[in-house]
Amino acid sequence: MFVVLLGPPGAGKGTQAQRIAAASGLLHVSTGDMFRENVKNQTGLGRLAAEYMDRGELVPDEVTIKMLLERIGRPDAAEGAMFDGFPRNVVQAVALDEALATRGARIDKALLISVADEELIARLGGRWICRSCGRLYHERNDPPKRPGVCDACGGELYQRDDDRPDVVRTRLEKQKPPAGLIEHYRNAGVLREIDGQRSLDEVTSALLEALQ
Ligand code: AMP
C-alpha cells in the first residue's frame, strides 16, 4: 500500500507518520528527513537544499523528485510506503504517480490532516527534535520527561532553524498544500480528511482507521 500524508507544516505529519509506521509496519519516507540528513552530512545535495530550507522555501522540484524516485527504487519500498512531506505540489504528485504506475502501483490513500493557522503557529514554535534518533517532541503537547533530553535514547534535543517564528510564517504561507494538490487526490477518489485538532492519540486512531 502506498499512502501520502498531506497537511500544512505543524499539522503533525512527522509525528503521526512515525506512529503509523510503528503501528502498521509501513515504510516511512520523509523528504524533509532526507534533506536534513544530507545537510548534517554536508553533501552537495545538503548544501543546495539548505539554501532553500533556511528560508522556509521549497527545494526545487527536479532535485526533490530525483531524490524521492531514487529512494522508492530501493528494495525496502517495493511493497509500499508512507510519504510524509512529499508531494508538495501537483508536479511532484504526477511524478510520483508515474513512477508508481511503471510498477503497477498507485497511491491508495491520501490522508489530509487539517489544522487552523493560529494553532499551527503555536505548535511550530514549541517543536523539539532528538539529534540522535529523530524523535519529535512538543513543549506543550508532547514534552520530554526531562527538558532537552530524549526519552527514547537520551540524546540532545534541538529546535530546527526553520521553526523560528519569522520563518514559520513564511513556511505556512509557502508550504500549505495547494488546492490543486488536494484536488488531484480528491479526483483520484483516494482523499480522506482528518481533523488534526485533537489529541495525538485521537489523530493516530483516526489515521489508522482511514488506512483500514
Ligand atoms: P519538512 O520536514 O517536510 O517540513 O521539510 C523541511 C524542508 O525541507 C522544507 O521546508 C523544504 O525546504 C524541504 N522539503 C521537504 N520536502 C520537500 C518537497 N517535497 N519539496 C520541496 N522541498 C521539500
Side-chain angles (χ1 to χ4, degrees):
M1 177 156 63
F2 290 91
V3 179
V4 299
L5 269 187
L6 302 174
K13 291 193 302 294
T15 304
Q16 294 296 346
Q18 289 177 353
R19 291 170 151 230
I20 295 168
S24 69
L26 265 178
L27 174 74
H28 175 200
V29 175
S30 156
T31 42
D33 284 351
M34 293 166 78
F35 283 132
R36 279 185 288 280
E37 189 66 23
N38 275 280
V39 172
K40 191 167 109 189
N41 295 332
Q42 299 185 342
T43 66
L45 175 62
R47 274 190 289 277
L48 190 149
E51 284 177 34
Y52 297 90
M53 295 170 77
D54 291 347
R55 293 197 299 260
E57 291 176 9
L58 291 177
V59 179
D61 284 342
E62 64 269 24
V63 177
T64 308
I65 290 170
K66 184 165 171 253
M67 176 179 78
L68 190 277
L69 295 187
E70 189 277 321
R71 178 67 192 87
I72 63 172
R74 290 193 225 153
D76 59 350
E79 298 298 323
M82 179 178 38
F83 300 103
D84 154 23
F86 188 98
R88 294 291 232 273
N89 56 38
V90 175
V91 171
Q92 295 184 2
V94 170
L96 178 57
D97 288 347
E98 287 174 358
L100 292 177
T102 63
R103 39 206 261 200
R106 63 188 294 250
I107 293 298
D108 301 291
K109 306 260 161 120
L111 307 180
L112 170 64
I113 308 180
S114 11
V115 177
D117 283 2
E118 315 80 75
E119 172 67 15
L120 293 172
I121 292 168
R123 285 185 183 187
L124 288 169
R127 186 153 78 168
W128 293 81
I129 309 178
C130 175
R131 220 178 268 291
S132 306
C133 75
R135 181 168 177 329
L136 296 167
Y137 293 88
H138 192 278
E139 274 169 20
R140 188 189 65 191
N141 303 334
D142 185 20
K145 292 196 181 72
R146 275 199 295 150
V149 182
C150 179
D151 295 348
C153 77
E156 179 199 4
L157 304 184
Y158 75 102
Q159 284 206 292
R160 282 166 45 168
D161 288 341
D162 59 354
D163 280 345
R164 294 194 320 268
D166 52 328
V167 186
V168 162
R169 284 184 192 277
T170 310
R171 279 171 68 207
L172 271 188
E173 275 160 34
K174 299 199 174 170
Q175 299 198 16
K176 276 194 195 160
L181 180 62
I182 295 170
E183 276 313 295
H184 179 84
Y185 290 114
R186 186 173 286 130
N187 292 339
V190 296
L191 185 75
R192 278 285 300 273
E193 190 166 348
I194 309 287
D195 172 9
Q197 279 184 235
R198 293 178 285 175
S199 73
L200 273 179
D201 287 343
E202 282 170 322
V203 177
T204 307
S205 303
L207 289 167
L208 286 171
E209 197 189 304
L211 285 181
Q212 295 289 305

